[in-house]
């Protein structure tokens, strides 16, 4: 795994390091950055370049019983994992999942 701790902000590598560092243990660690992940991360970093915004987003994982794995998933969400790819993608309604986490939709 690459040492993303030295990556300058805002880059996909720095975002990945922040994600790996600040999310709960139940969230899978990102070990590689594909071009698709890099592209998605760059797009979101252009929209939300403030590091503090992302820190708050990742801290909200800890505050959410659902995202931190402290609750048993419902039968419709048995395979759900709030991983990096989910965070960088859009939800069913088209809103970015990172925005929904940041805004507290998973409290």
């Amino acid at each position: 795994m690459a040492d993303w701790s030295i990556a300058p902000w805002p880059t996909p590598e720095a975002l990945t390091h922040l994600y790996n560092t600040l999310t709960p243990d139940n969230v899978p660690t990102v070990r590689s950055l594909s071009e698709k992940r890099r592209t998605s991360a760059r797009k979101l970093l252009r929209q939300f370049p403030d590091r503090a915004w992302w820190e708050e987003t990742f801290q909200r994982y800890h505050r959410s019983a659902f995202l931190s794995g402290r609750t048993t998933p419902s039968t419709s969400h048995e395979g759900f994992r709030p991983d990096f790819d989910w965070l960088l993608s859009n939800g069913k309604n088209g809103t970015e999942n990172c925005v929904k986490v940041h805004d507290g939709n998973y409290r």
Side-chain angles (χ1 to χ4, degrees):
M1 186 164 70
D3 181 8
W4 294 316
S5 65
I6 59 174
W9 188 265
T11 61
E13 294 80 9
L15 179 65
T16 302
H17 173 69
L18 202 62
Y19 169 89
N20 283 344
T21 303
L22 296 181
T23 54
D25 291 341
N26 72 299
V27 178
T29 299
V30 175
R31 298 190 185 281
S32 58
L33 280 173
S34 66
E35 191 53 41
K36 183 175 180 177
R37 281 180 170 170
R38 289 177 196 279
T39 299
S40 297
R42 280 188 203 106
K43 178 183 172 190
L44 289 167
L45 285 165
R46 280 192 300 273
Q47 290 179 336
F48 309 103
D50 186 16
R51 182 183 171 106
W53 189 92
W54 289 98
E55 289 171 351
E56 177 66 24
T57 299
F58 298 141
Q59 289 166 3
R60 287 190 182 268
Y61 269 74
H62 292 278
R63 294 184 210 141
S64 168
F66 181 63
L67 296 178
S68 67
R70 294 189 313 266
T71 60
T72 304
S74 66
T75 53
S76 62
H77 290 95
E78 290 170 333
F80 174 76
R81 292 176 65 163
D83 62 14
F84 193 64
D85 296 318
W86 172 82
L87 185 73
L88 299 180
S89 66
N90 293 345
K92 292 178 185 176
N93 68 355
T95 303
E96 298 89 345
N97 288 323
C98 63
V99 171
K100 293 190 290 186
V101 172
H102 181 269
D103 289 353
N105 289 17
Y106 295 94
R107 280 186 263 185

